[in-house]
Amino acid sequence: MTSTAANAGPKRKGILRGMLFGLAILLILLYLGFGALFYFQQDQMTFPAPVHYATATPADIGIAFEDLRIPVAGSEQLHAWWIPATQPSDKVILMFHGNGYVLQQMAGPEGELPSLHRLGPNLLLVDYRGYGSSSPGTPNETRVYEDARAALTYLVEQRHVSIHNIILMGRSIGTGPATQLALEHPEAGGLVLESAFTRVVEAAKAMWYLRPFPLSLFVHNRFDNLSKIGDVRLPVFITVGAEDTLTPPTMANGLFQKANQPKQFYMVAGADHNSIVKVGGRALESQISGFIDSVR
């Protein structure tokens, strides 16, 4: 055997090892790069505010309203709608919507405003800063809590609503600020959580491409509802779609188990994350209305 032939095998093995080492380094760099991208872009990922949407108002669907600008953080403002109850009511639902739409879409053909209006109380609906015609900027957990506090302050100080008559309500990401206010204000009337999640980290794991990452190290928008709900001293109503894969029933049930009495749980059969209001229909409205009526 010649020396050239004898050396061919080790050389091929060396080249293969080098290729595998290079591939491993590339994969590590991609992993770290994607992790860094997620870390620095998570505000935009958590709050994908729509840029283009059809403009609509409650008046377009026959509902009276006042268009408001609520001050928050100096010169910044929240766009909000005050919608009086059809029949006089002392109660107000302070509603925090999900992360994929703005107020104008709530009054559109597929919006949830008619359903909310049928619940009975007055409504205050707000857009987070960075959404719709609220002040621009990228929302994050801290800013959204500031927005929620500004809306509650408006109700108490400008509308002179007794905090005992304020029902805090959140849908999807809106369950974060609603739960935070409930924690801070045990004197409020009640808490309604629709399509709620336990923590953003756990909701993110529903996306397969995020599962390989140590999200607890990357995430700063935590919205840790699970750690807070046990310290909430308000009546609690939790509802979720049975087919919800984004904030699945296991999350809602986990929150319900940790919540204090009095509490109610209602699962909407056949509904997913985005169809809970439509599929739930009048039956869901009746459940929420009954809960609100029970709050004194």
Side-chain angles (χ1 to χ4, degrees):
M1 182 180 294
T2 65
S3 60
T4 301
N7 292 333
K11 285 182 179 178
R12 283 196 295 269
K13 291 180 180 178
I15 293 171
L16 181 59
R17 282 196 296 268
M19 292 175 64
L20 291 174
F21 179 76
L23 180 60
I25 294 297
L26 177 61
L27 290 174
I28 290 172
L29 290 175
L30 287 173
Y31 179 88
L32 293 175
F34 188 86
L37 178 66
F38 175 79
Y39 179 82
F40 290 109
Q41 294 296 314
Q42 66 179 272
D43 289 348
Q44 291 84 351
M45 295 172 68
T46 306
F47 294 97
V51 177
H52 304 290
Y53 48 86
T55 58
T57 72
D60 295 330
I61 52 176
I63 297 176
F65 80 108
E66 294 179 34
D67 199 63
L68 305 175
R69 301 288 169 174
I70 297 175
V72 56
S75 62
E76 296 185 318
Q77 296 180 330
L78 304 178
H79 178 218
W81 288 339
W82 169 261
I83 299 174
T86 302
Q87 300 296 324
S89 174
D90 293 330
K91 293 180 180 178
V92 177
I93 296 174
L94 173 54
M95 174 67 181
F96 302 104
H97 64 67
N99 66 355
Y101 55 98
V102 299
L103 287 185
Q104 287 89 337
Q105 290 168 286
M106 295 179 72
E110 300 298 320
E112 62 200 277
L113 178 54
S115 178
L116 288 170
H117 190 50
R118 286 192 293 266
L119 294 179
N122 306 288
L123 300 172
L124 181 65
L125 312 179
V126 299
D127 259 340
Y128 314 113
R129 283 173 291 171
Y131 278 70
S133 57
S134 290
S135 293
T138 302
N140 58 39
E141 184 173 11
T142 299
R143 285 170 61 86
V144 166
Y145 289 163
E146 291 173 353
D147 296 344
R149 294 179 186 117
L152 183 64
T153 297
Y154 167 81
L155 283 176
V156 173
E157 296 186 358
Q158 301 300 316
R159 289 279 172 180
H160 306 293
V161 178
S162 169
I163 195 165
H164 301 288
N165 289 326
I166 297 175
I167 309 299
L168 306 167
M169 183 173 182
R171 167 162 165 70
S172 191
I173 199 69
T175 62
T179 301
Q180 180 64 29
L181 284 188
L183 182 67
E184 296 175 3
H185 294 279
E187 72 276 22
L191 174 64
V192 177
L193 302 178
E194 184 178 284
S195 304
F197 56 89
T198 48
R199 303 179 178 95
V200 162
V201 168
E202 293 174 1
K205 289 179 181 177
M207 304 174 189
W208 64 267
Y209 52 86
L210 294 178
R211 291 173 191 164
F213 296 93
L215 297 179
S216 59
L217 299 178
F218 288 120
V219 170
H220 54 254
N221 291 313
R222 296 184 178 276
F223 289 106
D224 191 350
N225 292 335
L226 188 63
S227 71
K228 298 173 183 177
I229 195 70
D231 293 320
V232 169
R233 303 298 174 183
L234 302 179
V236 176
F237 181 95
I238 299 175
T239 183
V240 65
E243 307 303 321
D244 194 329
T245 57
L246 184 59
T247 57
T250 52
M251 288 192 180
N253 187 60
L255 290 169
F256 182 74
Q257 294 302 319
K258 289 196 68 174
N260 295 295
Q261 294 285 0
K263 58 184 177 180
Q264 297 179 37
F265 184 86
Y266 183 70
M267 188 179 298
V268 180
D272 61 20
H273 191 76
N274 293 320
S275 67
I276 183 171
V277 174
K278 182 177 181 180
V279 174
R282 297 303 176 97
L284 175 59
E285 293 168 17
S286 178
Q287 291 288 326
I288 298 175
S289 293
F291 168 77
I292 292 172
D293 289 342
S294 72
V295 172
R296 296 287 183 259

mmCIF file of all heavy atoms in Angstrom, residues 15-56:
data_model
loop_
_atom_site.group_PDB
_atom_site.id
_atom_site.type_symbol
_atom_site.label_atom_id
_atom_site.label_comp_id
_atom_site.label_asym_id
_atom_site.label_seq_id
_atom_site.Cartn_x
_atom_site.Cartn_y
_atom_site.Cartn_z
ATOM 1 N N ILE A 15 -11.349 15.747 7.388
ATOM 2 C CA ILE A 15 -12.226 16.692 6.679
ATOM 3 C C ILE A 15 -13.648 16.594 7.201
ATOM 4 O O ILE A 15 -14.328 17.603 7.418
ATOM 5 C CB ILE A 15 -12.176 16.410 5.168
ATOM 6 C CG1 ILE A 15 -10.784 16.749 4.616
ATOM 7 C CG2 ILE A 15 -13.250 17.212 4.433
ATOM 8 C CD1 ILE A 15 -10.576 16.314 3.178
ATOM 9 N N LEU A 16 -14.110 15.342 7.428
ATOM 10 C CA LEU A 16 -15.470 15.147 7.928
ATOM 11 C C LEU A 16 -15.640 15.764 9.308
ATOM 12 O O LEU A 16 -16.649 16.435 9.582
ATOM 13 C CB LEU A 16 -15.786 13.655 7.968
ATOM 14 C CG LEU A 16 -17.195 13.277 8.454
ATOM 15 C CD1 LEU A 16 -18.249 13.913 7.550
ATOM 16 C CD2 LEU A 16 -17.373 11.769 8.500
ATOM 17 N N ARG A 17 -14.644 15.550 10.169
ATOM 18 C CA ARG A 17 -14.719 16.150 11.508
ATOM 19 C C ARG A 17 -14.755 17.671 11.418
ATOM 20 O O ARG A 17 -15.490 18.338 12.147
ATOM 21 C CB ARG A 17 -13.535 15.692 12.353
ATOM 22 C CG ARG A 17 -13.666 14.279 12.909
ATOM 23 C CD ARG A 17 -12.665 14.041 14.028
ATOM 24 N NE ARG A 17 -11.302 14.126 13.541
ATOM 25 C CZ ARG A 17 -10.586 13.086 13.101
ATOM 26 N NH1 ARG A 17 -11.140 11.876 13.101
ATOM 27 N NH2 ARG A 17 -9.363 13.245 12.682
ATOM 28 N N GLY A 18 -13.960 18.205 10.497
ATOM 29 C CA GLY A 18 -13.946 19.658 10.321
ATOM 30 C C GLY A 18 -15.289 20.190 9.849
ATOM 31 O O GLY A 18 -15.773 21.227 10.312
ATOM 32 N N MET A 19 -15.905 19.454 8.916
ATOM 33 C CA MET A 19 -17.217 19.859 8.419
ATOM 34 C C MET A 19 -18.271 19.801 9.520
ATOM 35 O O MET A 19 -19.104 20.699 9.657
ATOM 36 C CB MET A 19 -17.627 18.977 7.248
ATOM 37 C CG MET A 19 -16.786 19.175 5.999
ATOM 38 S SD MET A 19 -17.205 17.994 4.677
ATOM 39 C CE MET A 19 -18.901 18.480 4.336
ATOM 40 N N LEU A 20 -18.226 18.718 10.307
ATOM 41 C CA LEU A 20 -19.184 18.583 11.398
ATOM 42 C C LEU A 20 -18.977 19.670 12.444
ATOM 43 O O LEU A 20 -19.947 20.225 12.993
ATOM 44 C CB LEU A 20 -19.055 17.201 12.045
ATOM 45 C CG LEU A 20 -19.516 16.025 11.180
ATOM 46 C CD1 LEU A 20 -19.200 14.702 11.873
ATOM 47 C CD2 LEU A 20 -21.001 16.127 10.873
ATOM 48 N N PHE A 21 -17.723 19.993 12.728
ATOM 49 C CA PHE A 21 -17.428 21.057 13.691
ATOM 50 C C PHE A 21 -17.947 22.395 13.176
ATOM 51 O O PHE A 21 -18.562 23.177 13.914
ATOM 52 C CB PHE A 21 -15.925 21.119 13.939
ATOM 53 C CG PHE A 21 -15.519 22.194 14.904
ATOM 54 C CD1 PHE A 21 -15.713 22.032 16.268
ATOM 55 C CD2 PHE A 21 -14.951 23.383 14.442
ATOM 56 C CE1 PHE A 21 -15.344 23.020 17.166
ATOM 57 C CE2 PHE A 21 -14.593 24.383 15.341
ATOM 58 C CZ PHE A 21 -14.787 24.200 16.704
ATOM 59 N N GLY A 22 -17.710 22.649 11.881
ATOM 60 C CA GLY A 22 -18.198 23.899 11.297
ATOM 61 C C GLY A 22 -19.709 23.984 11.323
ATOM 62 O O GLY A 22 -20.286 25.044 11.597
ATOM 63 N N LEU A 23 -20.364 22.834 11.039
ATOM 64 C CA LEU A 23 -21.826 22.806 11.079
ATOM 65 C C LEU A 23 -22.341 23.064 12.492
ATOM 66 O O LEU A 23 -23.318 23.804 12.688
ATOM 67 C CB LEU A 23 -22.331 21.453 10.580
ATOM 68 C CG LEU A 23 -23.853 21.259 10.571
ATOM 69 C CD1 LEU A 23 -24.520 22.288 9.671
ATOM 70 C CD2 LEU A 23 -24.212 19.846 10.129
ATOM 71 N N ALA A 24 -21.661 22.470 13.491
ATOM 72 C CA ALA A 24 -22.063 22.684 14.880
ATOM 73 C C ALA A 24 -21.933 24.154 15.265
ATOM 74 O O ALA A 24 -22.817 24.723 15.915
ATOM 75 C CB ALA A 24 -21.228 21.819 15.806
ATOM 76 N N ILE A 25 -20.836 24.774 14.855
ATOM 77 C CA ILE A 25 -20.637 26.209 15.140
ATOM 78 C C ILE A 25 -21.720 27.031 14.467
ATOM 79 O O ILE A 25 -22.283 27.971 15.059
ATOM 80 C CB ILE A 25 -19.245 26.665 14.659
ATOM 81 C CG1 ILE A 25 -18.145 25.980 15.484
ATOM 82 C CG2 ILE A 25 -19.116 28.178 14.764
ATOM 83 C CD1 ILE A 25 -18.159 26.319 16.952
ATOM 84 N N LEU A 26 -22.058 26.677 13.213
ATOM 85 C CA LEU A 26 -23.099 27.412 12.487
ATOM 86 C C LEU A 26 -24.440 27.292 13.200
ATOM 87 O O LEU A 26 -25.162 28.291 13.360
ATOM 88 C CB LEU A 26 -23.203 26.875 11.061
ATOM 89 C CG LEU A 26 -24.299 27.503 10.185
ATOM 90 C CD1 LEU A 26 -24.054 28.992 10.024
ATOM 91 C CD2 LEU A 26 -24.349 26.811 8.823
ATOM 92 N N LEU A 27 -24.767 26.072 13.647
ATOM 93 C CA LEU A 27 -26.031 25.873 14.342
ATOM 94 C C LEU A 27 -26.071 26.652 15.650
ATOM 95 O O LEU A 27 -27.107 27.232 16.014
ATOM 96 C CB LEU A 27 -26.255 24.381 14.602
ATOM 97 C CG LEU A 27 -26.547 23.522 13.367
ATOM 98 C CD1 LEU A 27 -26.603 22.050 13.746
ATOM 99 C CD2 LEU A 27 -27.849 23.948 12.708
ATOM 100 N N ILE A 28 -24.959 26.676 16.364
ATOM 101 C CA ILE A 28 -24.895 27.437 17.619
ATOM 102 C C ILE A 28 -25.088 28.925 17.346
ATOM 103 O O ILE A 28 -25.830 29.615 18.064
ATOM 104 C CB ILE A 28 -23.561 27.178 18.327
ATOM 105 C CG1 ILE A 28 -23.515 25.740 18.858
ATOM 106 C CG2 ILE A 28 -23.354 28.164 19.475
ATOM 107 C CD1 ILE A 28 -22.159 25.333 19.394
ATOM 108 N N LEU A 29 -24.431 29.421 16.280
ATOM 109 C CA LEU A 29 -24.563 30.843 15.939
ATOM 110 C C LEU A 29 -25.996 31.180 15.530
ATOM 111 O O LEU A 29 -26.535 32.228 15.905
ATOM 112 C CB LEU A 29 -23.586 31.205 14.820
ATOM 113 C CG LEU A 29 -22.103 31.204 15.202
ATOM 114 C CD1 LEU A 29 -21.236 31.457 13.975
ATOM 115 C CD2 LEU A 29 -21.820 32.256 16.271
ATOM 116 N N LEU A 30 -26.626 30.269 14.782
ATOM 117 C CA LEU A 30 -28.020 30.488 14.396
ATOM 118 C C LEU A 30 -28.933 30.487 15.620
ATOM 119 O O LEU A 30 -29.849 31.304 15.730
ATOM 120 C CB LEU A 30 -28.463 29.405 13.409
ATOM 121 C CG LEU A 30 -27.893 29.502 11.993
ATOM 122 C CD1 LEU A 30 -28.270 28.268 11.186
ATOM 123 C CD2 LEU A 30 -28.377 30.772 11.299
ATOM 124 N N TYR A 31 -28.667 29.558 16.533
ATOM 125 C CA TYR A 31 -29.448 29.468 17.764
ATOM 126 C C TYR A 31 -29.331 30.758 18.565
ATOM 127 O O TYR A 31 -30.332 31.340 18.998
ATOM 128 C CB TYR A 31 -28.951 28.269 18.569
ATOM 129 C CG TYR A 31 -29.651 28.049 19.894
ATOM 130 C CD1 TYR A 31 -30.807 27.284 19.973
ATOM 131 C CD2 TYR A 31 -29.149 28.603 21.074
ATOM 132 C CE1 TYR A 31 -31.449 27.063 21.192
ATOM 133 C CE2 TYR A 31 -29.778 28.394 22.292
ATOM 134 C CZ TYR A 31 -30.922 27.621 22.340
ATOM 135 O OH TYR A 31 -31.537 27.413 23.538
ATOM 136 N N LEU A 32 -28.078 31.216 18.743
ATOM 137 C CA LEU A 32 -27.854 32.444 19.511
ATOM 138 C C LEU A 32 -28.430 33.654 18.781
ATOM 139 O O LEU A 32 -29.014 34.544 19.403
ATOM 140 C CB LEU A 32 -26.362 32.635 19.760
ATOM 141 C CG LEU A 32 -25.687 31.605 20.670
ATOM 142 C CD1 LEU A 32 -24.186 31.840 20.723
ATOM 143 C CD2 LEU A 32 -26.286 31.644 22.073
ATOM 144 N N GLY A 33 -28.295 33.662 17.456
ATOM 145 C CA GLY A 33 -28.821 34.784 16.682
ATOM 146 C C GLY A 33 -30.331 34.869 16.750
ATOM 147 O O GLY A 33 -30.894 35.953 16.932
ATOM 148 N N PHE A 34 -30.986 33.721 16.631
ATOM 149 C CA PHE A 34 -32.445 33.720 16.713
ATOM 150 C C PHE A 34 -32.889 34.101 18.119
ATOM 151 O O PHE A 34 -33.869 34.832 18.289
ATOM 152 C CB PHE A 34 -32.996 32.344 16.342
ATOM 153 C CG PHE A 34 -34.488 32.328 16.214
ATOM 154 C CD1 PHE A 34 -35.102 32.661 15.027
ATOM 155 C CD2 PHE A 34 -35.295 31.997 17.292
ATOM 156 C CE1 PHE A 34 -36.484 32.657 14.903
ATOM 157 C CE2 PHE A 34 -36.675 31.986 17.192
ATOM 158 C CZ PHE A 34 -37.265 32.320 15.982
ATOM 159 N N GLY A 35 -32.163 33.611 19.125
ATOM 160 C CA GLY A 35 -32.496 33.973 20.501
ATOM 161 C C GLY A 35 -32.370 35.471 20.726
ATOM 162 O O GLY A 35 -33.231 36.098 21.358
ATOM 163 N N ALA A 36 -31.300 36.065 20.174
ATOM 164 C CA ALA A 36 -31.111 37.511 20.313
ATOM 165 C C ALA A 36 -32.209 38.271 19.566
ATOM 166 O O ALA A 36 -32.735 39.278 20.062
ATOM 167 C CB ALA A 36 -29.736 37.909 19.781
ATOM 168 N N LEU A 37 -32.559 37.783 18.379
ATOM 169 C CA LEU A 37 -33.631 38.427 17.615
ATOM 170 C C LEU A 37 -34.940 38.383 18.392
ATOM 171 O O LEU A 37 -35.659 39.387 18.475
ATOM 172 C CB LEU A 37 -33.801 37.716 16.266
ATOM 173 C CG LEU A 37 -34.916 38.255 15.364
ATOM 174 C CD1 LEU A 37 -34.605 39.668 14.912
ATOM 175 C CD2 LEU A 37 -35.090 37.336 14.149
ATOM 176 N N PHE A 38 -35.240 37.215 18.977
ATOM 177 C CA PHE A 38 -36.460 37.094 19.769
ATOM 178 C C PHE A 38 -36.427 38.042 20.951
ATOM 179 O O PHE A 38 -37.426 38.700 21.264
ATOM 180 C CB PHE A 38 -36.625 35.653 20.250
ATOM 181 C CG PHE A 38 -37.798 35.466 21.179
ATOM 182 C CD1 PHE A 38 -39.080 35.380 20.685
ATOM 183 C CD2 PHE A 38 -37.611 35.402 22.551
ATOM 184 C CE1 PHE A 38 -40.163 35.218 21.531
ATOM 185 C CE2 PHE A 38 -38.683 35.236 23.419
ATOM 186 C CZ PHE A 38 -39.955 35.151 22.906
ATOM 187 N N TYR A 39 -35.280 38.142 21.613
ATOM 188 C CA TYR A 39 -35.180 38.993 22.801
ATOM 189 C C TYR A 39 -35.452 40.451 22.442
ATOM 190 O O TYR A 39 -36.214 41.138 23.127
ATOM 191 C CB TYR A 39 -33.799 38.868 23.430
ATOM 192 C CG TYR A 39 -33.623 39.733 24.658
ATOM 193 C CD1 TYR A 39 -34.086 39.300 25.898
ATOM 194 C CD2 TYR A 39 -33.017 40.982 24.575
ATOM 195 C CE1 TYR A 39 -33.943 40.087 27.024
ATOM 196 C CE2 TYR A 39 -32.878 41.783 25.699
ATOM 197 C CZ TYR A 39 -33.334 41.330 26.920
ATOM 198 O OH TYR A 39 -33.202 42.127 28.032
ATOM 199 N N PHE A 40 -34.839 40.916 21.355
ATOM 200 C CA PHE A 40 -34.958 42.334 21.024
ATOM 201 C C PHE A 40 -36.229 42.659 20.237
ATOM 202 O O PHE A 40 -36.604 43.832 20.160
ATOM 203 C CB PHE A 40 -33.717 42.797 20.242
ATOM 204 C CG PHE A 40 -32.469 42.857 21.080
ATOM 205 C CD1 PHE A 40 -31.454 41.940 20.900
ATOM 206 C CD2 PHE A 40 -32.329 43.812 22.078
ATOM 207 C CE1 PHE A 40 -30.304 41.983 21.686
ATOM 208 C CE2 PHE A 40 -31.187 43.870 22.866
ATOM 209 C CZ PHE A 40 -30.171 42.951 22.673
ATOM 210 N N GLN A 41 -36.874 41.657 19.666
ATOM 211 C CA GLN A 41 -38.090 41.897 18.893
ATOM 212 C C GLN A 41 -39.353 41.433 19.607
ATOM 213 O O GLN A 41 -40.432 41.483 19.036
ATOM 214 C CB GLN A 41 -37.986 41.191 17.537
ATOM 215 C CG GLN A 41 -36.930 41.744 16.620
ATOM 216 C CD GLN A 41 -37.224 43.179 16.210
ATOM 217 O OE1 GLN A 41 -38.338 43.521 15.841
ATOM 218 N NE2 GLN A 41 -36.212 44.028 16.258
ATOM 219 N N GLN A 42 -39.226 40.981 20.856
ATOM 220 C CA GLN A 42 -40.389 40.382 21.501
ATOM 221 C C GLN A 42 -41.507 41.381 21.770
ATOM 222 O O GLN A 42 -42.676 40.992 21.816
ATOM 223 C CB GLN A 42 -40.002 39.663 22.783
ATOM 224 C CG GLN A 42 -39.498 40.538 23.901
ATOM 225 C CD GLN A 42 -39.158 39.707 25.126
ATOM 226 O OE1 GLN A 42 -40.016 39.448 25.961
ATOM 227 N NE2 GLN A 42 -37.909 39.283 25.212
ATOM 228 N N ASP A 43 -41.190 42.665 21.929
ATOM 229 C CA ASP A 43 -42.270 43.645 22.094
ATOM 230 C C ASP A 43 -43.158 43.656 20.854
ATOM 231 O O ASP A 43 -44.392 43.638 20.956
ATOM 232 C CB ASP A 43 -41.693 45.040 22.333
ATOM 233 C CG ASP A 43 -41.044 45.182 23.698
ATOM 234 O OD1 ASP A 43 -41.238 44.288 24.542
ATOM 235 O OD2 ASP A 43 -40.324 46.171 23.914
ATOM 236 N N GLN A 44 -42.508 43.675 19.681
ATOM 237 C CA GLN A 44 -43.286 43.676 18.440
ATOM 238 C C GLN A 44 -44.007 42.351 18.238
ATOM 239 O O GLN A 44 -45.108 42.315 17.680
ATOM 240 C CB GLN A 44 -42.359 43.949 17.242
ATOM 241 C CG GLN A 44 -41.805 45.368 17.190
ATOM 242 C CD GLN A 44 -40.561 45.561 18.058
ATOM 243 O OE1 GLN A 44 -40.182 44.691 18.844
ATOM 244 N NE2 GLN A 44 -39.906 46.701 17.892
ATOM 245 N N MET A 45 -43.404 41.253 18.679
ATOM 246 C CA MET A 45 -44.042 39.946 18.540
ATOM 247 C C MET A 45 -45.220 39.802 19.495
ATOM 248 O O MET A 45 -46.240 39.202 19.156
ATOM 249 C CB MET A 45 -43.022 38.839 18.785
ATOM 250 C CG MET A 45 -41.912 38.776 17.753
ATOM 251 S SD MET A 45 -40.602 37.597 18.186
ATOM 252 C CE MET A 45 -41.489 36.042 18.027
ATOM 253 N N THR A 46 -45.076 40.351 20.695
ATOM 254 C CA THR A 46 -46.155 40.265 21.683
ATOM 255 C C THR A 46 -47.302 41.195 21.326
ATOM 256 O O THR A 46 -48.470 40.884 21.587
ATOM 257 C CB THR A 46 -45.622 40.612 23.087
ATOM 258 O OG1 THR A 46 -44.492 39.793 23.389
ATOM 259 C CG2 THR A 46 -46.683 40.409 24.149
ATOM 260 N N PHE A 47 -46.977 42.336 20.719
ATOM 261 C CA PHE A 47 -47.989 43.337 20.383
ATOM 262 C C PHE A 47 -47.917 43.687 18.894
ATOM 263 O O PHE A 47 -47.431 44.753 18.521
ATOM 264 C CB PHE A 47 -47.796 44.595 21.237
ATOM 265 C CG PHE A 47 -48.043 44.387 22.696
ATOM 266 C CD1 PHE A 47 -46.983 44.144 23.563
ATOM 267 C CD2 PHE A 47 -49.320 44.407 23.213
ATOM 268 C CE1 PHE A 47 -47.204 43.942 24.926
ATOM 269 C CE2 PHE A 47 -49.552 44.206 24.557
ATOM 270 C CZ PHE A 47 -48.489 43.966 25.413
ATOM 271 N N PRO A 48 -48.410 42.787 18.039
ATOM 272 C CA PRO A 48 -48.380 43.045 16.590
ATOM 273 C C PRO A 48 -49.522 43.967 16.170
ATOM 274 O O PRO A 48 -50.505 43.540 15.549
ATOM 275 C CB PRO A 48 -48.538 41.639 16.005
ATOM 276 C CG PRO A 48 -49.391 40.923 17.013
ATOM 277 C CD PRO A 48 -48.980 41.462 18.359
ATOM 278 N N ALA A 49 -49.411 45.216 16.533
ATOM 279 C CA ALA A 49 -50.491 46.173 16.247
ATOM 280 C C ALA A 49 -50.718 46.290 14.739
ATOM 281 O O ALA A 49 -49.769 46.490 13.984
ATOM 282 C CB ALA A 49 -50.141 47.538 16.825
ATOM 283 N N PRO A 50 -51.956 46.150 14.287
ATOM 284 C CA PRO A 50 -52.225 46.273 12.846
ATOM 285 C C PRO A 50 -51.997 47.705 12.372
ATOM 286 O O PRO A 50 -52.243 48.666 13.100
ATOM 287 C CB PRO A 50 -53.697 45.879 12.736
ATOM 288 C CG PRO A 50 -54.277 46.161 14.077
ATOM 289 C CD PRO A 50 -53.181 45.897 15.063
ATOM 290 N N VAL A 51 -51.504 47.799 11.162
ATOM 291 C CA VAL A 51 -51.264 49.113 10.554
ATOM 292 C C VAL A 51 -52.432 49.517 9.659
ATOM 293 O O VAL A 51 -52.834 50.677 9.624
ATOM 294 C CB VAL A 51 -49.945 49.093 9.752
ATOM 295 C CG1 VAL A 51 -49.726 50.437 9.054
ATOM 296 C CG2 VAL A 51 -48.767 48.761 10.661
ATOM 297 N N HIS A 52 -52.972 48.567 8.949
ATOM 298 C CA HIS A 52 -54.071 48.841 8.022
ATOM 299 C C HIS A 52 -55.338 48.144 8.539
ATOM 300 O O HIS A 52 -55.329 46.951 8.820
ATOM 301 C CB HIS A 52 -53.726 48.334 6.621
ATOM 302 C CG HIS A 52 -52.447 48.898 6.077
ATOM 303 N ND1 HIS A 52 -52.314 50.216 5.710
ATOM 304 C CD2 HIS A 52 -51.233 48.315 5.876
ATOM 305 C CE1 HIS A 52 -51.086 50.432 5.287
ATOM 306 N NE2 HIS A 52 -50.405 49.293 5.376
ATOM 307 N N TYR A 53 -56.397 48.906 8.650
ATOM 308 C CA TYR A 53 -57.661 48.360 9.124
ATOM 309 C C TYR A 53 -58.789 49.303 8.706
ATOM 310 O O TYR A 53 -58.580 50.505 8.494
ATOM 311 C CB TYR A 53 -57.656 48.198 10.650
ATOM 312 C CG TYR A 53 -57.161 49.416 11.400
ATOM 313 C CD1 TYR A 53 -58.020 50.459 11.728
ATOM 314 C CD2 TYR A 53 -55.821 49.528 11.760
ATOM 315 C CE1 TYR A 53 -57.563 51.582 12.395
ATOM 316 C CE2 TYR A 53 -55.350 50.644 12.427
ATOM 317 C CZ TYR A 53 -56.221 51.668 12.745
ATOM 318 O OH TYR A 53 -55.760 52.779 13.400
ATOM 319 N N ALA A 54 -59.962 48.734 8.581
ATOM 320 C CA ALA A 54 -61.131 49.536 8.221
ATOM 321 C C ALA A 54 -61.545 50.379 9.418
ATOM 322 O O ALA A 54 -61.593 49.895 10.546
ATOM 323 C CB ALA A 54 -62.274 48.631 7.779
ATOM 324 N N THR A 55 -61.833 51.640 9.179
ATOM 325 C CA THR A 55 -62.257 52.520 10.260
ATOM 326 C C THR A 55 -63.749 52.356 10.494
ATOM 327 O O THR A 55 -64.542 52.307 9.547
ATOM 328 C CB THR A 55 -61.947 53.987 9.933
ATOM 329 O OG1 THR A 55 -62.596 54.347 8.711
ATOM 330 C CG2 THR A 55 -60.450 54.197 9.790
ATOM 331 N N ALA A 56 -64.114 52.236 11.740
ATOM 332 C CA ALA A 56 -65.522 52.114 12.119
ATOM 333 C C ALA A 56 -65.673 52.675 13.519
ATOM 334 O O ALA A 56 -64.695 52.775 14.277
ATOM 335 C CB ALA A 56 -65.972 50.656 12.077
#
